[in-house]
Structures are given as structure tokens and as C-alpha cells.
Amino acid sequence: MCMLAAIIALAVVFVRFATVEAGQVRSYSSNVPVRRSSYLVEFHDDAHDGHYHAVRSHGGVTVDHHYDGVFRGMAVSTSASVNPEHLAGYGGVKHVWPNRIHRLSTRASKFNTTSQVLHEKTGLIQTVNELGLDGSGVKIGVIDSGVDYMHPDLGGCWKTEGCPWQYGVDLVGDHSTANPNPTPMDCIGHGTHVSGIIMASGTQVRGVAPKATMGMYRVFPCSDSEGGANSDDSVIIKAMELALKDGMDVVSMSLGTTGEWAESRSAVAAANLVAKGVIVVAASGNDGESGLLTSNSPAIGKGVISVGSVNNWSYKAPYIEVNSPSAGTLRVLKVYNPTDLNNFVFEAPIPLVVSNDVAGSNEGCNPPSTDISGKIALVKRGTCTFGIKAAIAQEAGAEGLLVYDFKAGAPETPSFGNNTIPATMISLTDGNMLAALAAKETLTLTSTNDKFATFEMEDGGRVTGFSSYGPTPELDLGVDISAPGGSIWSTYLRNNGSYASMSGTSMAAPYVAGAVALIKQANPGLLPDQVRNILSATAKPVADPQTGLKYTPFQSGSGLINIYDAAKSRATIDPPTLALNDTVFGPFTGVIHRLAGDNVRWASRTLKIKNTDTTRGMWVSMNHTAADSVTMFNRNGTLVDAAYGTSDETIPTWPANTKPVAGNTLPKVTSLDSNQYIGPGLTGLVTVFITAPSGLDEADRWFYGGFLNFTMRWDGESTQSSYVVPYGGYNGDYSKINVLAPASTGLPAFVDDDGNVVSDVSAALAAKKKTHLAYFMNMPSRLVTVNLVDAAGRFAGYLPHGYNANAVRTLPAYYSYTTAALNGTAYMDKDLAKEATVALGKYHVRLSALRLFGNPKKSSDFEVW
């Protein structure tokens, strides 16, 4: 055990004890956002009205919500004098949870998109044309920011006869949950956009299930007490309960918190909703740039369909028209957002010039040597922020700024800060072309926002970079399926353009929710698990052109949804995904040994394949496709730069490119019974032996995966149907991974409120300066503790935020570290409720983190600092 050498003198505090069982009061680590003085009180199943009344009657307690469907208990707000221990002390109380904050799963979009190609790729058009499905008779509940239900493409009505919107409620109001509105009218636009993807019926937007009956449960205000448009567990769980009571068949949630455990309150509530027969679809999250273990809750709840994003294939967007003496009139795509303060509009021709500085750079980060006054300045992305480029161009008298990307593909939507100069972004290809023309001749341009052209997307159909990765902390894939989510054109607030392009798994989840409605319409008797299995099995794995393999199932799930194949499916495969969280290192036995060899890391799984056609037998065959292996670690245990979520880089893959690699660096699958005949209505068993890559160094911490590809052919038919089962595992012993960042990162360390390292902790505490132990979680942990140890090596109390069950990975894009405070307070209990009397003296601080799959009763399973 390594302990800090600094000696810490603590002031005396007083102790107060209550009759509370250990673990009743739950807490989150310091970097998890929660509502202040707001709690979820969970009751035992046998709790009675008297127990509820006791909590309601406690002084300083206000009950915000009652639950009896997907959660047993209530949400309360308290005065500052109420300790959660007070609530946990009442009879019938099982746990008291902090009220976790949630955010929407959306990103700025690149372009406005058409729907025709998108709907072809997902099989929707074939489904509509051949099967006539439109969602009729299926009820879809949306838990979101509300809906502009008066939008003509969304019905233009609310709860009138023949109106699609027959259910829903506002739970939050515009600025305060105490003042909800009579109807869930949207003021953000997110819920309106999501609703259009599901059920719009108009000339610009056609939803997946336009005849579905809809419900909107508004859980996001225009703004809240935390300074943003956030929601929380208490409101979201209430919305789930209302959707259950209203009889929703499907619930769509494009929201969440990142990197959670399946025990989080929203995930458990969603799983309970599934268990009661409701199909729940949720966004997997938009933190792919931060690497692995970024899947959202509630998407990781048991039985919930977790949805990742792929880019759209084509798009329509306003364009810039450039006049060139040599090349004629050129159309150049521009990034456009109807809410952008820097709208790039020039109705009269204006000169376009490259803005170079004295050093010859055209990145626009220094005052230009080129005369750009009264002209459009063309600069390249890089070195400085978009805001700096805009400010410099504006100061030099430019009328507008045109930034071209530094990497191939479609450019992201930039932020130009508070500058007012009209500005936009174009692709690297177009920028290079214009720069070359401008070097030899005079160019002029015009630009409006009301003329559109259709373009092909260079990265169409690929997994979107922002789409979150699994696995979950317990090595489940974390993503079930993918759908279009990159640059989706849908309905928007009528007072803000009526239509907009948005990106995110927020857009992919409602697409799947609409698809689920079509499948339920075609097969009303299907249960949630059956729908999830069918969707997963009939998806199409997505090719990664960078490697020549398939995208990892940890980001793509089974692949791109195919609605037609799902609606026509005549087979199910259970389980729909394989999580290889208990691999064995050593030789195979029997016949498999002769096929696969010695001393490899392997796992075996058995699949149940059911022929749901009761009239025809089914022939089954199987092959295997390897997917990318991915990591977010350097050899020394530190995170790669791309995992910090502050750049457009992606985490490393193996193979790194399309060049051939050694076969032992890819996973393999062996089976003796994958080719078989299954009679009408019967079930067959297929056992597979999956071998991890043996040629990759386990110190690099690769996560590998692939796809079992099944071909089914029914008696008397010549055509075949394809089914898929994704699998994923860790190339090593998952239980041996250190969860704390290595000491070479400079953490753990003692810091002040501003993050400055405190070298003399005792002196800082004596001077009553706020001091914290800062540490960084490379991986999640089932248990992290920070406690004091006296000179004799005895436990002397937990620090505030010093006992964290189900601790999450630290995401550097949001937080630099996790902290526990040294403020003269310590606790003797795991609930951090019983303040302890700590004698003046010398103490060490001990940080302990349980490794994944570790046993909390075994000290050797903890990483200790």
C-alpha cells in the first residue's frame, strides 16, 4: 500500500448517530451532477402508507413526485437542515438517492438532409410500399423537451378528435417544476425535431410511423436552476410512470448521463418499464470522442434498446455560388444552422480572397497581410479557434469569413463565438479548389439560405464519430443497434424556421422507436425482448473503410437497422448479443482443441435459434466476420490523446488501415453445429467457441469483437435471409486492469479550489484553505473509498465524497478529476451521514478503488494509493 507522505492535522468535529443501516444513503462522486437538496426515497416492497406518511411529514420536506409503477417511492426536495440520513431512518425506507441530472443527447449538425436515400438504406421505403405499414394502432410516448404540436407536419393539434397527440403532460414548466404549463409545448426544439423523425407527415419531412398515436411527456424546461435546460431522475422516472399508465407501447428517450452502471436509477426504472411490457428505446450517447465506456443511462438498462448513430447518405443544404472566370459558376456546400448568429448571406456579388499573414499562413490566426477589407476572407481551419479567426477578420474589415476544413469529409458546425461577422465553413476539397482559383484570378460569390441543392455525403453510412462506445462497466456491449443520426433534417419550432438539421444519437433513437411501431403493427403480440432480438438480428454490420473490417460492436451494436427484414423476420436468436466477460486462458479440449490450438484466450456461448415459421423447416449456416479492435490506452496505462474528447481524433483501431495483418491479431470463431436443419416452429442450439486475438499485446488493452453471420433458407424457397449476432470482449484479464490513472499523470494529488497543487497540506489546512484530494478514474469501479488512517494504521473516517459505490469513469471532456474534500469533516459510516469525532493528530489519506469484477471483501482486488 502506498500512502501520501504528507501529514495532515484535522480539526475536531462532533458526531451524531442515527439508526440507519449501512448503504441506505447512496452518494455519487464529486464529478456527478446532482440537484441540490433533492432526493429519491426508495421504499421496500412491503412498505405501507404509514411509512410514506412519516417521510412526507418530516419538517423541511416537500414531496415532488410519488411513484408506484417503475419505481417504488417518492421524490422530495428538502431544506438545508435536512440530512438524507434523517429520511433513511424511517421505517420502510430502502435507499435514499441523490437526484441525478440528465442532458439531451444531441450535437450541432452539419447539413440539412433529405429523407429519400436515408429511408431506402434502412428498408423503410420497401416496408411502406410492400407491407403498407405506417404505425397505425401503436402508441408511442416521447420523453423529451416537449413538442410544437401546432406544427402542420406534426398534426397542428392537441388532444382533439383525429389528432395524433392524444397523450402527454408538461412536468417542468418553462423555468420551474412548480409551474408546469397546461400542455407540453416545446421551447427548445429538441423534442419537436425528435417527434418529426417519428411521425411527421409533410412535404419536407416524412417520419417513420406517421400514423402512430403519440404522447409527449415534457421533462426539459427552457432553463432551470442549474443554468441550463437540464432534467433529472425524479422527473424522468415520473414521465416513465405516466407513459406506463397511459398504455404506451413504445417509449423513446433521447437523453441520459454518460458512463453509468446499470444500477443507476434511470436505467433501473427503464428496465422495470420493459419488464411491464413497454418497448423502451434510448440514445446511447454522444461521447464517442471520449473513447470507451461512454454509453448512456438509461440506454444501458436491462432490455432497453440502446441506439448508436450512423451518418446520413445525402443531404440538401443552402449553397454558396462562386463565379470564376476560368471555371464558370460553382456551387459550394456551406454549413447552415437556422439558429446561427453568423448566418452567411450575401445577395449581391462580393469578392472572395485568401487571407494570408506575413508568414504566408492562411489560417487566419494573425492579422492579414492581404487586403480583405470589404471582401470575404477565405482561411483554413487550424492553430486557433474559430472565434479568433472571426475576430481577426472582423477587425481587418472583412465583410464575411469562409473557413475550410483541414480534414477530408463533411465539416462540423463551427462556433464563431460572440463575433457578428457572417461566417460559415466548407469542406477541405472545396476550400482547396477555391484557394487555387483565387491565387490566379478574381472570384466573387453570392449566398442565400433559401436556395437548396442536394449533395452526396462523403462519409454517408459510416458510424458517426460522436456516437458513444460501450462496453458497460460489466463488459456488456452497451449499444444494440444503429440508425441514422448524423445530420437529420426534421421539424423544428415554428418561430425558429419550422425545420432544422440536428445530429446525435438523439436523432437515431426516435428513428428506431418509429421502426418498432411498424414491427408492432405487423406483429402485435411481440414482447419487448422479442422485438429487441429481431431488430438486432436483422441489422446489417457497418463496414469501416479505414480498416477494411466492420466497425466495432461496442460502438455500432449489430449494425444499421433494416426495418423490412425485421418486419418479415421468421427466426429469432437468443441472446441477441454476446458479452465475453468470462474468458478462459488455456487450451481447448476435445475436437475443438484440434481446430483452435493451445493457450489462447477463449469463451464458449450457446445460442438458441428458433424457427418461428410453423409451416416450413429452416436450413441454417454460419460464418464469421471480424470487427475492429479498439483501445483508449497507451502502453504505460495513460489515456491516448483522442480519449480526452477535446479533438476530432478517434481512438486507435486494429488494424490501423486496410493493409493485411497477421491472422492471430484478429478474433476467430469455431463451431461444430452451426450448419443444421430446424423444423417448423422448433428451436435449435448452436455452440460457438470465440478466440480472442493472440497476436496483440495485452498491455495495450484492446477490446475486440466481431459478428456471427447466419444464413437461413426455408424449405421450398430459393432466397435466403441473413441474421447477425455481435460479440465483444476484452483482450486480457479484465479484473486486473488498474482503474486509477497512473502516477505519471500527476494524479492523485492535493489541490485547491482552482486546481493548483497544494504542496504542504498541513499548512493549507491550518490556514483554513480549501483542499481536496484529486484523482482520475481511467475506468469505472464498483467501489471507491477515500478515508483517513491514523498513525497506527487504523481507519479514522471517510472524507466527504469518500465512499462511492458504482463510481463512473472520469471524462476529461467534462471534468479534469474527481475529488474528496479535506475540510475537517469525516464520517464513520458508508452513508457519509454520521460525522465522526477525529482527534487532533497526524493522519494519512488512503484512496482505494476496486478493480472491475473484483471482490470487495478481498483487499488484493483493490488498487490502493
Tab-separated table of all heavy atoms in Angstrom, residues 562-605:
chain	number	residue	atom	x	y	z
A	562	ASN	N	-32.548	-2.566	-40.294
A	562	ASN	CA	-33.245	-2.859	-41.538
A	562	ASN	C	-34.690	-3.182	-41.183
A	562	ASN	O	-34.999	-4.286	-40.702
A	562	ASN	CB	-32.596	-4.017	-42.298
A	562	ASN	CG	-33.194	-4.188	-43.683
A	562	ASN	OD1	-34.341	-4.571	-43.840
A	562	ASN	ND2	-32.398	-3.871	-44.703
A	563	ILE	N	-35.569	-2.226	-41.395
A	563	ILE	CA	-36.948	-2.342	-40.923
A	563	ILE	C	-37.694	-3.442	-41.680
A	563	ILE	O	-38.464	-4.210	-41.084
A	563	ILE	CB	-37.669	-0.990	-41.071
A	563	ILE	CG1	-36.912	0.095	-40.297
A	563	ILE	CG2	-39.100	-1.077	-40.562
A	563	ILE	CD1	-37.425	1.504	-40.551
A	564	TYR	N	-37.460	-3.530	-42.971
A	564	TYR	CA	-38.176	-4.529	-43.777
A	564	TYR	C	-37.833	-5.942	-43.325
A	564	TYR	O	-38.728	-6.772	-43.103
A	564	TYR	CB	-37.838	-4.341	-45.254
A	564	TYR	CG	-38.560	-5.310	-46.165
A	564	TYR	CD1	-39.881	-5.093	-46.542
A	564	TYR	CD2	-37.911	-6.450	-46.642
A	564	TYR	CE1	-40.548	-5.987	-47.372
A	564	TYR	CE2	-38.559	-7.347	-47.475
A	564	TYR	CZ	-39.886	-7.108	-47.833
A	564	TYR	OH	-40.536	-8.000	-48.653
A	565	ASP	N	-36.539	-6.219	-43.170
A	565	ASP	CA	-36.137	-7.553	-42.753
A	565	ASP	C	-36.656	-7.871	-41.350
A	565	ASP	O	-37.006	-9.017	-41.059
A	565	ASP	CB	-34.619	-7.685	-42.783
A	565	ASP	CG	-34.076	-7.827	-44.202
A	565	ASP	OD1	-34.891	-7.887	-45.144
A	565	ASP	OD2	-32.840	-7.860	-44.373
A	566	ALA	N	-36.699	-6.853	-40.485
A	566	ALA	CA	-37.213	-7.075	-39.136
A	566	ALA	C	-38.703	-7.399	-39.162
A	566	ALA	O	-39.174	-8.315	-38.475
A	566	ALA	CB	-36.953	-5.847	-38.266
A	567	ALA	N	-39.445	-6.644	-39.976
A	567	ALA	CA	-40.901	-6.870	-40.045
A	567	ALA	C	-41.229	-8.228	-40.659
A	567	ALA	O	-42.256	-8.829	-40.338
A	567	ALA	CB	-41.552	-5.748	-40.846
A	568	LYS	N	-40.371	-8.733	-41.533
A	568	LYS	CA	-40.618	-10.005	-42.227
A	568	LYS	C	-39.910	-11.183	-41.555
A	568	LYS	O	-39.984	-12.313	-42.065
A	568	LYS	CB	-40.139	-9.895	-43.670
A	568	LYS	CG	-40.915	-8.897	-44.533
A	568	LYS	CD	-42.215	-9.480	-45.025
A	568	LYS	CE	-41.978	-10.521	-46.095
A	568	LYS	NZ	-43.231	-11.091	-46.622
A	569	SER	N	-39.250	-10.943	-40.442
A	569	SER	CA	-38.422	-11.975	-39.823
A	569	SER	C	-39.226	-13.223	-39.465
A	569	SER	O	-40.349	-13.144	-38.955
A	569	SER	CB	-37.754	-11.422	-38.565
A	569	SER	OG	-37.041	-12.437	-37.887
A	570	ARG	N	-38.609	-14.380	-39.712
A	570	ARG	CA	-39.228	-15.663	-39.357
A	570	ARG	C	-38.309	-16.482	-38.457
A	570	ARG	O	-38.420	-17.704	-38.368
A	570	ARG	CB	-39.568	-16.452	-40.619
A	570	ARG	CG	-40.738	-15.881	-41.400
A	570	ARG	CD	-41.077	-16.779	-42.586
A	570	ARG	NE	-40.102	-16.627	-43.670
A	570	ARG	CZ	-40.023	-17.448	-44.717
A	570	ARG	NH1	-40.829	-18.498	-44.798
A	570	ARG	NH2	-39.132	-17.235	-45.663
A	571	ALA	N	-37.378	-15.796	-37.793
A	571	ALA	CA	-36.483	-16.503	-36.877
A	571	ALA	C	-36.064	-15.545	-35.762
A	571	ALA	O	-36.041	-14.322	-35.952
A	571	ALA	CB	-35.253	-17.030	-37.608
A	572	THR	N	-35.761	-16.104	-34.611
A	572	THR	CA	-35.196	-15.318	-33.516
A	572	THR	C	-33.938	-16.007	-33.017
A	572	THR	O	-33.808	-17.240	-33.095
A	572	THR	CB	-36.182	-15.159	-32.349
A	572	THR	OG1	-36.517	-16.453	-31.826
A	572	THR	CG2	-37.449	-14.443	-32.791
A	573	ILE	N	-33.011	-15.215	-32.518
A	573	ILE	CA	-31.765	-15.745	-31.960
A	573	ILE	C	-31.608	-15.173	-30.560
A	573	ILE	O	-31.691	-13.952	-30.364
A	573	ILE	CB	-30.551	-15.369	-32.830
A	573	ILE	CG1	-30.765	-15.822	-34.278
A	573	ILE	CG2	-29.278	-15.982	-32.261
A	573	ILE	CD1	-29.632	-15.416	-35.208
A	574	ASP	N	-31.368	-16.054	-29.610
A	574	ASP	CA	-31.246	-15.622	-28.219
A	574	ASP	C	-29.999	-16.244	-27.597
A	574	ASP	O	-29.806	-17.461	-27.708
A	574	ASP	CB	-32.497	-16.038	-27.438
A	574	ASP	CG	-32.519	-15.475	-26.031
A	574	ASP	OD1	-32.343	-14.257	-25.893
A	574	ASP	OD2	-32.686	-16.258	-25.091
A	575	PRO	N	-29.126	-15.425	-26.965
A	575	PRO	CA	-29.235	-13.980	-26.789
A	575	PRO	C	-28.895	-13.231	-28.075
A	575	PRO	O	-28.199	-13.780	-28.936
A	575	PRO	CB	-28.206	-13.689	-25.693
A	575	PRO	CG	-27.173	-14.753	-25.856
A	575	PRO	CD	-27.921	-15.979	-26.282
A	576	PRO	N	-29.360	-11.964	-28.180
A	576	PRO	CA	-29.106	-11.203	-29.407
A	576	PRO	C	-27.681	-10.682	-29.514
A	576	PRO	O	-27.229	-10.352	-30.601
A	576	PRO	CB	-30.098	-10.042	-29.309
A	576	PRO	CG	-30.337	-9.875	-27.841
A	576	PRO	CD	-30.247	-11.243	-27.248
A	577	THR	N	-26.979	-10.597	-28.397
A	577	THR	CA	-25.575	-10.167	-28.386
A	577	THR	C	-24.808	-11.053	-27.418
A	577	THR	O	-25.387	-11.617	-26.480
A	577	THR	CB	-25.419	-8.698	-27.950
A	577	THR	OG1	-25.901	-8.545	-26.602
A	577	THR	CG2	-26.205	-7.767	-28.857
A	578	LEU	N	-23.511	-11.163	-27.628
A	578	LEU	CA	-22.664	-11.982	-26.765
A	578	LEU	C	-21.616	-11.104	-26.084
A	578	LEU	O	-20.776	-10.507	-26.758
A	578	LEU	CB	-21.973	-13.078	-27.577
A	578	LEU	CG	-22.892	-14.090	-28.280
A	578	LEU	CD1	-22.057	-15.111	-29.041
A	578	LEU	CD2	-23.815	-14.783	-27.286
A	579	ALA	N	-21.700	-11.032	-24.756
A	579	ALA	CA	-20.700	-10.310	-23.967
A	579	ALA	C	-19.722	-11.332	-23.410
A	579	ALA	O	-20.097	-12.195	-22.611
A	579	ALA	CB	-21.380	-9.534	-22.844
A	580	LEU	N	-18.471	-11.250	-23.816
A	580	LEU	CA	-17.458	-12.237	-23.422
A	580	LEU	C	-16.731	-11.735	-22.179
A	580	LEU	O	-15.565	-11.337	-22.224
A	580	LEU	CB	-16.480	-12.477	-24.575
A	580	LEU	CG	-17.132	-12.797	-25.927
A	580	LEU	CD1	-16.066	-13.052	-26.981
A	580	LEU	CD2	-18.060	-14.000	-25.802
A	581	ASN	N	-17.442	-11.753	-21.059
A	581	ASN	CA	-16.873	-11.189	-19.834
A	581	ASN	C	-16.314	-12.251	-18.889
A	581	ASN	O	-16.059	-11.970	-17.726
A	581	ASN	CB	-17.930	-10.342	-19.103
A	581	ASN	CG	-19.251	-11.064	-18.956
A	581	ASN	OD1	-19.316	-12.277	-19.124
A	581	ASN	ND2	-20.292	-10.316	-18.646
A	582	ASP	N	-16.126	-13.458	-19.386
A	582	ASP	CA	-15.535	-14.502	-18.544
A	582	ASP	C	-14.651	-15.421	-19.389
A	582	ASP	O	-14.794	-16.643	-19.368
A	582	ASP	CB	-16.614	-15.298	-17.820
A	582	ASP	CG	-17.622	-15.944	-18.775
A	582	ASP	OD1	-17.549	-15.657	-19.976
A	582	ASP	OD2	-18.453	-16.733	-18.299
A	583	THR	N	-13.738	-14.841	-20.137
A	583	THR	CA	-12.867	-15.645	-20.993
A	583	THR	C	-11.915	-16.503	-20.154
A	583	THR	O	-11.583	-16.177	-19.013
A	583	THR	CB	-12.044	-14.744	-21.921
A	583	THR	OG1	-11.359	-13.756	-21.138
A	583	THR	CG2	-12.930	-14.038	-22.926
A	584	VAL	N	-11.466	-17.601	-20.766
A	584	VAL	CA	-10.536	-18.533	-20.138
A	584	VAL	C	-9.225	-18.490	-20.905
A	584	VAL	O	-9.229	-18.438	-22.148
A	584	VAL	CB	-11.113	-19.969	-20.160
A	584	VAL	CG1	-10.101	-20.959	-19.611
A	584	VAL	CG2	-12.412	-20.024	-19.371
A	585	PHE	N	-8.102	-18.510	-20.187
A	585	PHE	CA	-6.812	-18.586	-20.876
A	585	PHE	C	-6.259	-19.997	-20.711
A	585	PHE	O	-6.061	-20.478	-19.596
A	585	PHE	CB	-5.823	-17.578	-20.320
A	585	PHE	CG	-4.525	-17.540	-21.096
A	585	PHE	CD1	-4.447	-16.868	-22.304
A	585	PHE	CD2	-3.413	-18.211	-20.636
A	585	PHE	CE1	-3.271	-16.838	-23.033
A	585	PHE	CE2	-2.230	-18.194	-21.354
A	585	PHE	CZ	-2.161	-17.507	-22.554
A	586	GLY	N	-6.034	-20.657	-21.843
A	586	GLY	CA	-5.534	-22.020	-21.786
A	586	GLY	C	-5.947	-22.781	-23.018
A	586	GLY	O	-6.463	-22.221	-23.989
A	587	PRO	N	-5.760	-24.088	-23.015
A	587	PRO	CA	-6.093	-24.889	-24.204
A	587	PRO	C	-7.572	-25.229	-24.274
A	587	PRO	O	-8.261	-25.320	-23.263
A	587	PRO	CB	-5.256	-26.153	-23.994
A	587	PRO	CG	-5.165	-26.283	-22.491
A	587	PRO	CD	-5.103	-24.884	-21.968
A	588	PHE	N	-8.069	-25.418	-25.495
A	588	PHE	CA	-9.387	-26.006	-25.703
A	588	PHE	C	-9.300	-27.510	-25.398
A	588	PHE	O	-8.216	-28.072	-25.258
A	588	PHE	CB	-9.843	-25.820	-27.147
A	588	PHE	CG	-10.281	-24.429	-27.478
A	588	PHE	CD1	-9.415	-23.533	-28.087
A	588	PHE	CD2	-11.576	-24.012	-27.196
A	588	PHE	CE1	-9.822	-22.267	-28.407
A	588	PHE	CE2	-11.995	-22.734	-27.520
A	588	PHE	CZ	-11.114	-21.848	-28.125
A	589	THR	N	-10.425	-28.132	-25.351
A	589	THR	CA	-10.445	-29.572	-25.112
A	589	THR	C	-11.149	-30.283	-26.263
A	589	THR	O	-11.917	-29.677	-27.011
A	589	THR	CB	-11.182	-29.890	-23.803
A	589	THR	OG1	-12.503	-29.349	-23.869
A	589	THR	CG2	-10.456	-29.297	-22.603
A	590	GLY	N	-10.903	-31.566	-26.404
A	590	GLY	CA	-11.599	-32.391	-27.386
A	590	GLY	C	-11.323	-31.979	-28.814
A	590	GLY	O	-10.232	-31.551	-29.181
A	591	VAL	N	-12.362	-32.114	-29.645
A	591	VAL	CA	-12.242	-31.811	-31.069
A	591	VAL	C	-11.894	-30.350	-31.288
A	591	VAL	O	-11.110	-30.003	-32.176
A	591	VAL	CB	-13.553	-32.179	-31.796
A	591	VAL	CG1	-13.473	-31.792	-33.273
A	591	VAL	CG2	-13.832	-33.666	-31.663
A	592	ILE	N	-12.465	-29.462	-30.470
A	592	ILE	CA	-12.215	-28.032	-30.621
A	592	ILE	C	-10.734	-27.722	-30.445
A	592	ILE	O	-10.177	-26.848	-31.100
A	592	ILE	CB	-13.060	-27.230	-29.612
A	592	ILE	CG1	-14.539	-27.367	-29.947
A	592	ILE	CG2	-12.667	-25.762	-29.613
A	592	ILE	CD1	-14.915	-26.794	-31.294
A	593	HIS	N	-10.052	-28.491	-29.596
A	593	HIS	CA	-8.609	-28.281	-29.414
A	593	HIS	C	-7.870	-28.478	-30.724
A	593	HIS	O	-6.966	-27.710	-31.074
A	593	HIS	CB	-8.079	-29.228	-28.348
A	593	HIS	CG	-6.581	-29.198	-28.221
A	593	HIS	ND1	-5.764	-30.119	-28.845
A	593	HIS	CD2	-5.767	-28.344	-27.575
A	593	HIS	CE1	-4.492	-29.845	-28.574
A	593	HIS	NE2	-4.475	-28.766	-27.803
A	594	ARG	N	-8.252	-29.487	-31.475
A	594	ARG	CA	-7.572	-29.748	-32.751
A	594	ARG	C	-7.852	-28.637	-33.761
A	594	ARG	O	-7.047	-28.375	-34.646
A	594	ARG	CB	-8.005	-31.105	-33.301
A	594	ARG	CG	-7.592	-32.275	-32.413
A	594	ARG	CD	-7.642	-33.591	-33.187
A	594	ARG	NE	-8.977	-33.923	-33.632
A	594	ARG	CZ	-9.839	-34.620	-32.891
A	594	ARG	NH1	-9.500	-35.032	-31.673
A	594	ARG	NH2	-11.032	-34.918	-33.371
A	595	LEU	N	-8.997	-27.977	-33.626
A	595	LEU	CA	-9.344	-26.923	-34.572
A	595	LEU	C	-8.735	-25.579	-34.205
A	595	LEU	O	-8.399	-24.781	-35.068
A	595	LEU	CB	-10.875	-26.773	-34.646
A	595	LEU	CG	-11.652	-27.970	-35.194
A	595	LEU	CD1	-13.151	-27.712	-35.070
A	595	LEU	CD2	-11.286	-28.224	-36.647
A	596	ALA	N	-8.602	-25.302	-32.906
A	596	ALA	CA	-8.245	-23.952	-32.471
A	596	ALA	C	-6.859	-23.834	-31.857
A	596	ALA	O	-6.304	-22.756	-31.814
A	596	ALA	CB	-9.288	-23.450	-31.465
A	597	GLY	N	-6.290	-24.908	-31.330
A	597	GLY	CA	-4.924	-24.823	-30.834
A	597	GLY	C	-4.828	-24.601	-29.339
A	597	GLY	O	-5.816	-24.622	-28.605
A	598	ASP	N	-3.583	-24.382	-28.881
A	598	ASP	CA	-3.272	-24.290	-27.454
A	598	ASP	C	-3.185	-22.848	-26.967
A	598	ASP	O	-2.910	-21.921	-27.725
A	598	ASP	CB	-1.923	-24.962	-27.169
A	598	ASP	CG	-2.022	-26.482	-27.229
A	598	ASP	OD1	-2.956	-27.021	-26.619
A	598	ASP	OD2	-1.163	-27.087	-27.881
A	599	ASN	N	-3.379	-22.705	-25.651
A	599	ASN	CA	-3.039	-21.489	-24.915
A	599	ASN	C	-3.507	-20.211	-25.606
A	599	ASN	O	-2.709	-19.378	-26.041
A	599	ASN	CB	-1.540	-21.428	-24.659
A	599	ASN	CG	-1.099	-22.562	-23.745
A	599	ASN	OD1	-1.838	-22.968	-22.854
A	599	ASN	ND2	0.095	-23.074	-23.980
A	600	VAL	N	-4.786	-20.103	-25.694
A	600	VAL	CA	-5.411	-18.896	-26.221
A	600	VAL	C	-6.464	-18.431	-25.214
A	600	VAL	O	-6.873	-19.166	-24.318
A	600	VAL	CB	-6.080	-19.153	-27.590
A	600	VAL	CG1	-5.039	-19.405	-28.659
A	600	VAL	CG2	-7.068	-20.309	-27.499
A	601	ARG	N	-6.892	-17.196	-25.365
A	601	ARG	CA	-7.974	-16.682	-24.523
A	601	ARG	C	-9.281	-16.928	-25.264
A	601	ARG	O	-9.453	-16.469	-26.381
A	601	ARG	CB	-7.766	-15.194	-24.238
A	601	ARG	CG	-8.720	-14.650	-23.180
A	601	ARG	CD	-8.336	-13.244	-22.774
A	601	ARG	NE	-7.052	-13.200	-22.120
A	601	ARG	CZ	-6.840	-13.556	-20.846
A	601	ARG	NH1	-7.843	-13.977	-20.101
A	601	ARG	NH2	-5.636	-13.457	-20.328
A	602	TRP	N	-10.196	-17.646	-24.641
A	602	TRP	CA	-11.387	-18.070	-25.365
A	602	TRP	C	-12.612	-18.090	-24.457
A	602	TRP	O	-12.506	-18.039	-23.233
A	602	TRP	CB	-11.182	-19.447	-25.991
A	602	TRP	CG	-10.924	-20.553	-24.988
A	602	TRP	CD1	-9.735	-20.865	-24.404
A	602	TRP	CD2	-11.885	-21.469	-24.450
A	602	TRP	NE1	-9.871	-21.931	-23.550
A	602	TRP	CE2	-11.193	-22.318	-23.549
A	602	TRP	CE3	-13.242	-21.665	-24.641
A	602	TRP	CZ2	-11.819	-23.346	-22.845
A	602	TRP	CZ3	-13.890	-22.679	-23.949
A	602	TRP	CH2	-13.177	-23.506	-23.058
A	603	ALA	N	-13.763	-18.151	-25.093
A	603	ALA	CA	-15.031	-18.280	-24.383
A	603	ALA	C	-15.979	-19.077	-25.259
A	603	ALA	O	-15.888	-19.043	-26.490
A	603	ALA	CB	-15.619	-16.906	-24.077
A	604	SER	N	-16.893	-19.808	-24.651
A	604	SER	CA	-17.912	-20.530	-25.400
A	604	SER	C	-19.285	-19.997	-25.022
A	604	SER	O	-19.521	-19.605	-23.881
A	604	SER	CB	-17.838	-22.034	-25.123
A	604	SER	OG	-18.183	-22.313	-23.783
A	605	ARG	N	-20.171	-19.948	-25.999
A	605	ARG	CA	-21.539	-19.494	-25.779
A	605	ARG	C	-22.480	-20.368	-26.608
A	605	ARG	O	-22.129	-20.816	-27.714
A	605	ARG	CB	-21.722	-18.029	-26.207
A	605	ARG	CG	-20.923	-17.020	-25.383
A	605	ARG	CD	-21.501	-16.883	-23.983
A	605	ARG	NE	-20.863	-15.788	-23.253
A	605	ARG	CZ	-19.734	-15.908	-22.556
A	605	ARG	NH1	-19.110	-17.087	-22.519
A	605	ARG	NH2	-19.233	-14.881	-21.910
